Amino acid sequence: MVQAQDLVARLDEPQRFNLTDRPDGPTIVCTASRMVPASRCVLIPESPTRIIARAQLQKIPKDVLKRIFLPIQRANCVPAGIESCIIEAQHLLDCDFDVADYDFYNAYGTSDGAAEFEAMCQIPELHSLLPLTHWLYSSESPVYVVGPGGKLIDRLVFSDGDRQGCAIGALKYCLRVQKLYLGAVRAGGGLPAQAIVDNFAAAADDPRKLEAATKYIAERGPEEGSSLRLNKCKIHLGAPEREGEYQWAKDRGMKLQMHADDYLGGVIGRNRDEMRARLQQKVTGIVEQAKQCICPGQLSAQQSWLLIKHCIVPKFAHFLRGCEPQVTRQPAERFDAEIQKLYCQLADIAEAEVTPQVDRLMFARAALGGRGLQRMADEVDASYLAAQALCAPTLQKALQDEKKDSLHRLALKEALSKTRALIGQAAAASVLPAEITEHNFIEHYAEQKNRKKARSLKTDITEAVSAARWKQIEQDAKTPEQKAHLASITAKGATLVTTSVPLQPELKLPDKAFVLFHRKALGLPPQRAMPLHCRCHAPNGQFATDPHHALSCQAALSGPVTWRHDNLKYV
């Protein structure tokens, strides 16, 4: 790939190459925001190219990919591959193994393309990908940098390395580094190892084995473009008393981590309290990002809430899949409370108005008539179980020597118990039968006949939890008014206001309309402080007895009521 400074600088030179001299490679279009210095350039070919690449990859049998990459590389053929790495790394730490987490300098940008292509040529089952790979990477590709409003502001050339976001690029990179990873494992005497593309980790209970593996990578890696960024490499110590044996790592500039720390988007460590505290810090950071989505005058309340719901909340959900429930439960409860506060801020709902009934409606699924807040506390156990069910075949091999009283199995036991209690006995009998225990959970879902159930486990648990929660909401509706309100928010089309993305002007809600809609859907008065009486002075104009009197006020019949009627009639 051309030098980073050539990609991010000289925007005053729009004629870097002439259209008549256009390179032969596939066209790449990226936005100017991706070209900011010190940020990773995501260079993705045009949509037809991506579709073709994905379609070609789908034709490769999964058994072939597993034979090539497993048990180390888990990016190409392992469902929940990242989670399997986090769970295995945590298990290794609990068994007093030290985990070395290696970081490579600009891995995609410096990788040897010829070595990658040669690695692909050596596997007959992948020969069908060679023509497409050759077309994508043999020639230089034009890069068009687009600014605000779709204006072309720069033209560049992509020449070396792999492109971020390209499926073929990721595959051929993994093929090349697989040889390096296997060599490091052998150099260390057969270490347990795992990788997600260029994120490689190896574990050992003897520092000399990790020293040999590190030396091998440091010496052999640069030959094909994989240079270690030693100041970013870490060794998570499973036994702190071995710190003195890692002087070689300190001399190389590697960090020794004796406390809970980040790993592949999750958190690992020996002390569960430290892990919980680390995750609480993550919650603080994610909540701050959510607060930045609230920009009065720039974004409407509707837009702010959709950003929080779809872009911010999933950032925390990832932690639930790889970290143990005892670590994530308290942070999840706090995260729920913080997101609920932001929702109440946008919908102008006072804290005193959030009764247990209102709280249940807030966290009910939008498809059922609720407000669609996702209660992470309910997801803690289900996400942990579902992730392990997905990657059960991989974990079965990685944890084959696991003890019956291991911390991992205790976590599984807790998750199974709480999930069954949450969904009820009837649902548990079909979703999580009693014969599934912490001792046979992995083996059960690793069997081929149970793989379909493994893929649907999260959905089955979520639907069972939603059904149990909604049953409670139906029990809350005791009076005719409450039953009528429940019928109105569950009517066909009533949820579209909540779920629709305002891509068209007709779908946008002014802030006042957003507040009114959500308050009414929760059974609250139209606004926090209601006046005592309508200005119509009619006997039925007291807002205390009829908070929604304005919808039927006779004084408004010739104005707002008629306007509302006509807008509905002629929509």
Side-chain angles (χ1 to χ4, degrees):
M1 188 175 180
V2 294
Q3 294 296 322
Q5 57 266 31
D6 293 332
L7 286 174
V8 300
R10 304 185 195 142
L11 294 184
D12 57 340
E13 300 177 19
Q15 301 298 327
R16 196 73 57 81
F17 62 82
N18 296 321
L19 292 179
T20 56
D21 301 326
R22 180 183 180 279
D24 296 329
T27 301
I28 300 171
V29 178
C30 59
T31 59
S33 61
R34 294 293 187 184
M35 311 303 290
V36 177
S39 70
R40 178 175 294 178
C41 301
V42 180
L43 303 179
I44 304 175
E46 295 287 359
S47 296
T49 304
R50 288 184 309 205
I51 294 172
I52 293 171
R54 291 288 181 185
Q56 289 293 320
L57 283 176
Q58 291 294 328
K59 294 181 180 180
I60 306 300
K62 291 185 179 180
D63 291 340
V64 172
L65 296 177
K66 290 179 180 179
R67 176 174 54 81
I68 297 170
F69 292 116
L70 287 182
I72 298 177
Q73 184 61 256
R74 304 178 190 179
N76 298 294
C77 52
V78 179
I82 293 179
E83 289 79 3
S84 73
C85 292
I86 297 173
I87 293 167
E88 183 185 357
Q90 181 61 58
H91 173 70
L92 290 169
L93 285 177
D94 292 336
C95 295
D96 293 335
F97 276 65
D98 302 325
V99 178
D101 183 7
Y102 298 101
D103 184 87
F104 294 96
Y105 177 78
N106 192 18
Y108 266 27
T110 59
S111 186
D112 188 336
E116 293 177 348
F117 196 78
E118 181 181 353
M120 185 177 288
C121 291
Q122 293 175 357
I123 302 174
E125 293 88 346
L126 300 182
H127 284 181
S128 61
L129 298 176
L130 292 177
L132 177 61
T133 305
H134 186 268
W135 175 69
L136 284 172
Y137 286 96
S138 62
S139 302
E140 295 179 337
S141 292
V143 181
Y144 297 92
V145 184
V146 180
K151 182 181 178 181
L152 179 66
I153 63 175
D154 201 7
R155 298 167 181 162
L156 310 167
V157 175
F158 183 98
S159 58
D160 301 318
D162 298 301
R163 303 177 189 119
Q164 293 284 342
C166 176
I168 295 293
L171 176 65
K172 68 189 187 75
Y173 177 87
C174 290
L175 290 170
R176 181 189 67 76
V177 296
Q178 184 74 359
K179 181 175 65 174
L180 178 66
Y181 296 162
L182 289 171
V185 168
R186 286 192 294 267
L191 305 176
Q194 53 190 238
I196 298 292
V197 191
D198 59 335
N199 296 281
F200 177 63
D205 55 359
D206 184 350
R208 291 172 297 181
K209 295 182 178 180
L210 287 181
E211 181 180 12
T214 304
K215 182 180 179 181
Y216 180 90
I217 297 174
E219 293 178 353
R220 301 294 182 87
E223 296 175 3
E224 295 182 350
S226 293
S227 300
L228 283 176
R229 195 197 305 257
L230 290 168
N231 63 329
K232 292 291 186 69
C233 297
K234 300 178 183 179
I235 298 180
H236 302 266
L237 295 182
E241 60 271 14
R242 288 200 291 263
E243 180 184 5
E245 301 179 52
Y246 281 102
Q247 185 59 44
W248 61 267
K250 296 179 181 179
D251 294 341
R252 287 180 176 271
M254 299 175 69
K255 299 178 182 178
L256 298 184
Q257 188 57 257
M258 292 177 285
H259 302 285
D261 198 20
D262 302 344
Y263 179 72
L264 289 179
V267 177
I268 60 174
R270 287 302 306 269
N271 189 303
R272 266 48 179 185
D273 291 334
E274 289 183 356
M275 295 171 64
R276 194 178 301 111
R278 181 71 176 175
L279 197 50
Q280 291 283 17
Q281 295 176 3
K282 297 292 184 181
V283 170
T284 301
I286 296 173
V287 170
E288 288 302 316
Q289 292 179 4
K291 290 179 179 178
Q292 293 176 5
C293 294
I294 302 178
C295 306
Q298 301 295 326
L299 294 175
S300 66
Q302 180 192 25
Q303 293 170 328
S304 296
W305 176 241
L306 287 173
L307 281 174
I308 293 172
K309 181 178 178 181
H310 296 292
C311 300
I312 303 300
V313 172
K315 291 187 175 184
F316 180 79
H318 173 70
F319 293 107
L320 306 182
R321 296 170 59 83
C323 300
E324 298 170 354
Q326 62 170 313
V327 173
T328 59
R329 200 175 307 282
Q330 290 182 9
E333 292 171 352
R334 178 184 162 217
F335 183 78
D336 290 341
E338 295 289 350
I339 295 298
Q340 187 179 37
K341 287 180 183 177
L342 296 180
Y343 170 76
C344 290
Q345 176 184 340
L346 291 170
D348 195 25
I349 299 172
E351 183 179 354
E353 293 179 300
V354 184
T355 63
Q357 293 82 1
V358 171
D359 181 82
R360 282 191 281 270
L361 278 174
M362 282 184 180
F363 285 96
R365 292 174 62 185
L368 297 177
R371 298 304 87 211
L373 276 72
Q374 191 173 353
R375 196 185 296 274
M376 290 298 172
D378 286 350
E379 301 280 337
V380 166
D381 303 292
S383 296
Y384 186 69
L385 293 174
Q388 299 199 52
L390 281 174
C391 60
T394 304
L395 288 180
Q396 185 180 26
K397 297 178 180 178
L399 308 180
Q400 58 184 349
D401 297 327
E402 183 182 21
K403 297 179 181 179
K404 290 187 176 181
D405 59 347
S406 68
L407 293 175
H408 169 248
R409 292 200 177 186
L410 291 176
L412 277 177
K413 181 179 180 180
E414 177 187 358
L416 286 168
S417 175
K418 290 189 176 294
T419 300
R420 286 168 176 150
L422 185 62
I423 64 180
Q425 292 183 354
S430 59
V431 178
L432 287 172
E435 57 266 21
I436 299 178
T437 68
E438 69 274 16
H439 300 302
N440 65 2
F441 183 89
I442 300 297
E443 289 74 14
H444 175 81
Y445 286 107
E447 295 181 12
Q448 188 60 39
K449 64 179 181 180
N450 295 323
R451 294 306 295 155
K452 185 175 181 180
K453 292 182 179 179
R455 290 189 291 270
S456 65
L457 182 60
K458 180 63 164 58
T459 301
D460 294 340
I461 295 176
T462 300
E463 290 180 352
V465 172
S466 297
R469 297 293 188 192
W470 192 255
K471 185 177 181 180
Q472 181 62 51
I473 291 174
E474 291 176 331
Q475 293 174 354
D476 291 339
K478 295 180 173 57
T479 66
E481 292 81 3
Q482 291 172 335
K483 293 179 180 179
H485 170 256
L486 190 60
S488 67
I489 64 175
T490 57
K492 183 178 180 180
T495 63
L496 293 178
V497 180
T498 305
T499 57
S500 297
V501 178
L503 298 178
Q504 301 294 332
E506 296 81 5
L507 300 177
K508 295 180 180 179
L509 283 180
D511 288 353
K512 289 185 178 180
F514 178 87
V515 170
L516 178 62
F517 170 76
H518 282 273
R519 289 183 64 88
K520 283 179 61 62
L522 293 169
L524 298 173
Q527 60 187 41
R528 286 197 195 186
M530 295 293 294
L532 294 177
H533 203 286
C534 179
R535 62 182 180 180
C536 69
H537 301 298
N540 65 342
Q542 293 185 356
F543 287 110
T545 57
D546 183 10
H548 305 292
H549 164 78
L551 297 178
S552 58
C553 180
Q554 292 298 312
L557 184 61
S558 61
V561 173
T562 303
W563 175 85
R564 184 174 67 248
H565 167 271
D566 291 345
N567 272 315
L568 290 173
K569 180 178 180 180
Y570 300 112
V571 68

